[in-house]
Amino acid sequence: MTQTLDMPLLGITDTFPDTLYLLSHPASGKYGCYCHEGVHGLACFSTEAGAFRFAEFIDLSGMATLEVSFDRAREIAKERPLPVVSLILLDKLEEPVIHYVR
């Protein structure tokens, strides 16, 4: 007998917005990243204000927000060197939503 779980994967019902905001450092080509429980990912936000708030935690002057599509954010995350393996929506810092890209 097969048993079906109501929600087999944590966060499977969570969706990412079509437009995201990233933090980039144009002079170096670096992006704002975050690590949650050992999972490293490109930090993204559904609002520009959220990205600005997160920038306060980054010790690198000259950070700028970048508005991109979800697909472009995935591409940028894939281009990051390891250990970055995901895109992390940080609208709720205590409850990040993780989308694996590799």
Side-chain angles (χ1 to χ4, degrees):
M1 178 176 193
T2 303
Q3 180 182 7
T4 303
L5 299 174
D6 290 335
M7 189 177 295
L9 296 173
L10 181 65
I12 198 153
T13 60
D14 295 322
T15 59
F16 277 67
D18 292 333
T19 301
L20 296 167
Y21 293 88
L22 310 177
L23 288 171
S24 73
H25 188 255
S28 66
K30 294 181 179 182
Y31 288 86
C33 292
Y34 187 73
C35 181
H36 176 72
E37 296 182 0
V39 178
H40 294 263
L42 177 66
C44 65
F45 306 86
S46 63
T47 67
E48 190 173 30
F52 278 130
R53 282 192 301 275
F54 186 71
E56 295 172 4
F57 297 106
I58 298 176
D59 189 24
L60 184 61
S61 63
M63 295 298 286
T65 59
L66 181 64
E67 182 180 350
V68 297
S69 68
F70 171 75
D71 290 337
R72 179 64 185 129
R74 287 187 79 245
E75 290 173 18
I76 293 170
K78 287 179 184 180
E79 294 168 357
R80 301 299 92 214
L82 290 174
V84 174
V85 295
S86 68
L87 185 61
I88 302 180
L89 183 63
L90 290 174
D91 287 346
K92 296 179 184 175
L93 196 58
E94 62 283 350
E95 296 178 30
V97 179
I98 299 173
H99 174 81
Y100 289 90
V101 296
R102 55 176 154 195

